[in-house]
Amino acid sequence: MNPPLTTAESPRTDTKVHVLGVRHHGPGSARSVRRALEAIEPTIVLVEGPPDADAMIPLLTHAEMTPPVALLVYRPETPRDSVYYPFAAFSPEWQALEYALQCGIPARFMDLPVAVQLGEPEGDEAAPPSDVEETDAPEPRRPVDPLGILARAAGFDDGERWWEFVVEGRRDGEDLFAEILDAMSEVRRSVPTETDPRELQREAHMRQTIRAAMAEGHRSIAVVCGAWHAPALAVEDWPAAKGDAALLKGLPKVKVAATWVPWTYGRLSQESGYGAGIASPGWYDHLWTAPDRVVERWLTRVARLLREERLDASSASVIEAVRLAETLATLRGRPLADLTDLEEATRTVLCFGEETPMRLIRRKLVVGERLGRVPDETPSVPLQQDLNRLQKRLRLAPDPSQLTKVLDLREPTDLERSRLLHRLDLLGVAWGRVTHVSGRGTFKEAWELQWTPDLAVALIEASVWGATVEDAASALASDRSDREQDLPALTTLLNRAILADLPKGVETIMAKVESQAAVAADVTQLMDALPPLANLSRYGSVRQTNAEMIGHVASGMLARVCIGLPLACSSLDDAAASAMFDSILRADSAVGLLDDESGLASWHATLSRLTDSDRFHGLVAGRSARILLDARLLDARESARLMNLAVSTAAEPPRAAAWIEGFLRGSGEVLYHDDALFGIFDSWLAGLPAESFPNLLPLLRRTFGTFEAPLRRNLGERAKRSASPIASSTSLATPAANLDPDRAATVLPLVARLLGLG
């Protein structure tokens, strides 16, 4: 618990308050803070951070605590309402807290509590102080960029580069914080007075925390805060305590909890979107850990990375890059090469001017892929603890880099891994996603895995469903099935529950699927519900699921589809026909996976009825004919006959175009490689009367225009090579098996004389 804040009008004159203004992350700031604390020998250390997490500070020096990590403060009722406070080994606040714990002196956070920051309704403005009339409140000023102001005054065009040059690149802390205090005081005097209520409350709370430390009798207080706040915490410039107390009086609060979570260098970078981010955490880590020869060590790491990626990086090139970086620093008036100099030298010498290797270097070295670790004793929800146990048992450690893991479902360990990942996916903990895996077997499953710190919040949110991953996923699946009425959504949920191996959830969902299927009147819904069930049937033997139960439900759905599909396909407009086209495609793929011979025969018989282009939309009729052709239930002559009927001169052009599109849509590559299909289409096209071709040409262009240009060129070249399509094995010519040898023999002498053969 935090001590009560004193309201003394002025601080004790015999107390020394040392204000160390820093940037949230930086090796120079961290090193300077550590040296300053050793010189100050404070009796208490106060750090800008959430007082709600004071109980978490002792874990900072635990043997298993490995930065980068972050303090997570959240509302247990709504975990999405949360705030992260990330730390790295080179964070000044981390070094200040570590120093205090190692020396056995008290350490506290002093920022405005998160319980207060989350206490106000979203979008509401903080109430003005009680002694200020609302009409007199000044207009909020625009955010100030203090580093930008100081950088421009010093001749720099970038505040980050100025700070790195002045602070982070130096290795001594002598007079650093006095200079920062003076500089920030000048900036604050040169800009409009702070009017943001939240910022005023934050600084008031920090001063009140310092007053409370004074009231406890501390005579040397070290205050580590953001450089911008340093002037507001300098004792000589403090406002009256009553004013600070008035600013903080009556602020609403909510219940919050705090814990440590692993963090990544990628999340520390500015690209992650966090306000306290830095562009190059990997580089800062190098500056923090490299005791000497910073340039040489860095470029050696670059060369090692390039060699691991099988790119040339010789020792001579490293030496040349070092010389170039040092020369650039000298020309720019810097005592030591910075990251800009090193990147230019690396691009010129080691990457030969190419940008692609530089992107690799920035991702793996400049930003870095390190993932922190927190002790097992860290407070966490039971669901998180269960996941930690499963990760250790299954040897599936979280990794911040994206990696692909192929699981062999015939192996017990890989099958358990698959079930865990599917359960987490069902809970909304998106650690991985299933990707395509090469090969024909159903026993392989590929996952793209990448652990991100945000998953800690997702786990806390999911913890309301149960204390273990299995119980939580099963409860969530059952709850969704109770609230879901859409049959395709239910079968999709059933598919996910079976892949996750949730017997209780599957039983509940299966009962709901059967009841919904029994009353469903929409044929499209029934067709869209088939693919998830077919997928389960396909994986049944590998995942040890009850395929017989699934097949029974799927067969019942298929029977109802076969009965109702012809009626559902009648009188469709273009938009409805396009939707039905997609549903038929998905249903056909699903039926092919089901182990139901009678159902497959019924499906093909239904499609045979749909090939009538006079009764049904051309898209549906054309695709039905194509499916039957691929299934070897239509021969070449019958396919050509249906095509002639669909695009005859008596047919309306839009209807004919739809039939051709339905027959060939998405089949450009198949048309080119399948001799039978190409022969049917080529023979039909070559046999068209000359007067009909101009009328059909726009219809054909509509379909072939959807093919890629290289494919259209290949089809044209193949048609050109086809010397006599009418005589091909798939043409409409009379088969050789019907030839009468005796009649042919009577004309052979005449043919021989005509050809001059005697």
Side-chain angles (χ1 to χ4, degrees):
M1 297 293 293
N2 296 324
L5 301 183
T6 180
T7 57
E9 285 297 327
S10 60
R12 298 175 62 96
T13 56
D14 58 346
T15 299
K16 293 183 179 180
V17 178
H18 308 273
V19 181
L20 310 180
V22 295
R23 191 171 178 266
H24 185 48
H25 299 296
S29 298
R31 192 175 290 109
S32 299
V33 163
R34 190 74 182 224
R35 292 180 177 177
L37 291 175
E38 292 171 353
I40 293 170
E41 296 183 354
T43 58
I44 188 172
V45 174
L46 303 178
V47 174
E48 182 180 337
D52 323 72
D54 278 349
M56 298 295 106
I57 293 177
L59 285 172
L60 187 141
T61 54
H62 193 285
E64 295 179 3
M65 180 73 81
T66 306
V69 293
L71 279 171
L72 170 62
V73 185
Y74 62 95
R75 295 184 65 178
E77 296 82 3
T78 54
R80 281 291 172 190
D81 295 334
S82 57
V83 181
Y84 290 108
Y85 291 83
F87 296 90
F90 49 79
S91 299
E93 298 91 339
W94 181 273
Q95 289 300 314
L97 294 171
E98 186 178 61
Y99 169 85
L101 292 173
Q102 290 173 349
C103 295
I105 61 178
R108 297 178 195 149
F109 290 118
M110 61 176 182
D111 204 348
L112 189 68
V114 175
V116 173
Q117 298 187 44
L118 297 178
E120 294 184 355
E122 186 176 352
D124 289 356
E125 295 293 335
S130 57
D131 57 346
V132 179
E133 293 292 334
E134 188 173 353
T135 54
D136 297 333
E139 291 292 327
R141 65 170 176 80
R142 294 180 179 179
V144 177
D145 178 16
L147 297 187
I149 295 173
L150 293 171
R152 288 189 293 272
F156 285 75
D157 58 358
D158 181 15
E160 296 295 328
R161 289 196 63 190
W162 172 82
W163 181 270
E164 185 170 343
F165 176 71
V166 174
V167 178
E168 305 306 339
R170 64 193 294 172
R171 290 182 171 265
D172 63 271
E174 189 175 350
D175 298 329
L176 171 65
F177 299 109
E179 296 168 1
I180 292 175
L181 180 61
D182 290 342
M184 289 299 170
S185 298
E186 288 298 323
V187 172
R188 290 179 71 115
R189 280 194 288 267
S190 66
V191 298
T193 304
E194 180 67 75
T195 57
D196 181 13
R198 179 61 75 219
E199 289 300 305
L200 293 173
Q201 290 162 0
R202 290 182 63 198
E203 292 179 348
H205 193 277
M206 293 183 199
R207 288 190 293 266
Q208 291 289 71
T209 305
I210 299 173
R211 291 187 179 103
M214 292 177 175
E216 293 174 7
H218 293 286
R219 297 294 178 263
S220 179
I221 302 174
V223 176
V224 181
C225 63
W228 174 252
H229 299 297
L233 304 184
V235 175
E236 57 272 13
D237 296 327
W238 278 6
K242 288 183 178 179
D244 287 342
L247 282 172
L248 300 173
K249 184 178 180 180
L251 295 179
K253 293 183 179 181
V254 295
K255 182 180 179 181
V256 297
T259 186
W260 288 103
V261 295
W263 209 246
T264 65
Y265 276 172
R267 286 290 173 146
L268 282 177
S269 67
Q270 289 178 335
E271 295 177 358
S272 68
Y274 290 92
I278 52 175
S280 51
W283 165 247
Y284 274 12
D285 180 86
H286 177 73
L287 290 177
W288 176 253
T289 57
D292 56 5
R293 307 187 73 85
V294 173
V295 174
E296 293 86 343
R297 293 174 185 270
W298 177 260
L299 290 173
T300 300
R301 292 179 60 191
V302 170
R304 186 180 299 117
L305 173 63
L306 293 176
R307 290 170 191 153
E308 290 172 354
E309 300 294 329
R310 299 186 178 183
L311 298 174
D312 292 336
S314 65
S315 299
S317 297
V318 174
I319 295 172
E320 187 64 28
V322 170
R323 290 173 177 169
L324 178 57
E326 291 176 342
T327 301
L328 289 172
T330 302
L331 291 174
R332 291 163 177 166
R334 290 194 284 268
L336 182 68
D338 65 5
L339 184 58
T340 303
D341 303 323
L342 288 169
E343 286 190 329
E344 291 180 10
T346 299
R347 181 186 295 106
T348 302
V349 179
L350 292 169
C351 298
F352 307 101
E354 296 291 334
E355 183 61 28
T356 301
M358 288 301 300
R359 288 197 291 268
L360 174 69
I361 293 168
R362 291 191 187 103
R363 177 168 60 86
K364 291 200 170 185
L365 293 184
V366 176
V367 174
E369 296 179 336
R370 179 174 299 182
L371 174 68
R373 183 177 173 223
V374 299
D376 293 337
E377 291 85 345
T378 304
S380 60
V381 294
L383 183 64
Q384 174 71 68
Q385 298 170 7
D386 182 60
L387 177 59
N388 292 341
R389 287 192 294 268
L390 290 171
Q391 288 172 334
K392 290 180 180 179
R393 184 170 65 82
L394 299 176
R395 300 186 299 280
L396 201 60
D399 194 309
S401 58
Q402 189 176 87
L403 55 91
T404 300
K405 198 170 190 66
V406 179
L407 304 178
D408 185 340
L409 302 180
R410 298 170 299 181
E411 298 293 331
T413 299
D414 277 358
L415 182 57
E416 283 196 70
R417 289 170 175 169
S418 173
R419 289 167 176 168
L420 172 62
L421 293 170
H422 278 293
R423 289 169 181 174
L424 291 174
D425 183 61
L426 189 60
L427 288 169
V429 183
W431 183 9
R433 65 182 184 90
V434 180
T435 61
H436 173 73
V437 60
S438 60
R440 297 178 59 85
T442 61
F443 58 86
K444 290 191 294 184
E445 188 177 70
W447 286 83
E448 275 189 5
L449 302 177
Q450 186 174 26
W451 187 267
T452 61
D454 290 342
L455 298 181
V457 174
L459 277 169
I460 294 171
E461 287 186 316
S463 65
V464 300
W465 297 105
T468 67
V469 175
E470 180 179 359
D471 291 345
S474 184
L476 175 61
S478 298
D479 180 76
R480 285 187 182 176
S481 70
D482 290 340
R483 292 183 286 106
E484 186 61 70
Q485 301 299 323
D486 184 65
L487 187 57
L490 279 171
T491 55
T492 300
L493 180 61
L494 177 63
N495 181 31
R496 297 178 68 185
I498 290 183
L499 293 177
D501 189 27
L502 304 171
K504 295 180 181 179
V506 167
E507 184 178 349
T508 303
I509 301 169
M510 201 69 190
K512 185 67 175 289
V513 167
E514 289 184 302
S515 63
Q516 288 295 110
V519 299
D522 189 341
V523 174
T524 305
Q525 266 207 350
L526 289 169
M527 284 196 294
D528 291 343
L530 281 174
L533 296 179
N535 185 59
L536 293 175
S537 175
R538 179 172 183 253
Y539 276 93
S541 59
V542 178
R543 293 189 174 272
Q544 304 162 18
T545 56
N546 190 343
E548 183 178 351
M549 176 182 64
I550 297 167
H552 171 73
V553 175
S555 297
M557 286 186 185
L558 180 58
R560 299 190 64 194
V561 167
C562 293
I563 294 172
L565 186 57
L567 181 60
C569 290
S570 301
S571 304
L572 297 178
D573 60 16
D574 290 342
S578 181
M580 183 61 73
F581 177 95
D582 294 334
S583 294
I584 289 175
L585 278 184
R586 290 192 294 268
D588 182 64
S589 299
V591 173
L593 295 176
L594 294 173
D595 186 16
D596 185 356
E597 293 296 333
S598 62
L600 182 61
S602 298
W603 172 249
H604 286 151
T606 302
L607 292 180
S608 181
R609 296 172 59 187
L610 298 180
T611 57
D612 187 344
S613 59
D614 291 332
R615 290 182 55 200
F616 303 106
H617 195 281
L619 267 179
V620 174
R623 179 49 60 173
S624 298
R626 174 60 188 283
I627 292 173
L628 294 174
L629 175 66
D630 292 343
R632 302 292 189 266
L633 297 177
L634 280 184
D635 58 18
R637 291 182 62 82
E638 182 63 16
S639 299
R641 186 186 72 82
L642 291 174
M643 191 177 297
N644 275 311
L645 289 174
V647 298
S648 65
T649 55
E652 298 179 0
R655 192 178 194 85
W659 198 97
I660 292 294
E661 183 181 359
F663 191 81
L664 292 178
R665 181 191 282 185
S667 303
E669 293 288 348
V670 178
L671 179 62
Y672 177 73
H673 292 287
D674 190 322
D675 292 336
L677 182 60
F678 186 88
I680 292 170
F681 191 77
D682 197 23
S683 298
W684 167 79
L685 193 61
L688 287 174
E691 61 273 14
S692 300
F693 184 76
N695 296 327
L696 290 174
L697 183 59
L699 311 182
L700 298 174
R701 287 179 61 88
R702 168 176 161 176
T703 299
F704 279 77
T706 61
F707 298 164
E708 297 290 337
L711 177 59
R712 295 200 302 269
R713 183 175 61 252
N714 291 340
L715 287 170
E717 291 175 353
R718 173 163 185 177
K720 185 177 180 181
R721 292 195 303 268
S722 180
S724 181
I726 301 299
S728 68
S729 61
T730 56
S731 71
L732 303 182
T734 303
N738 297 329
L739 180 67
D740 188 339
D742 294 335
R743 295 183 62 190
T746 60
V747 300
L748 285 178
L750 178 60
V751 172
R753 292 185 63 182
L754 291 174
L755 296 176
L757 300 177

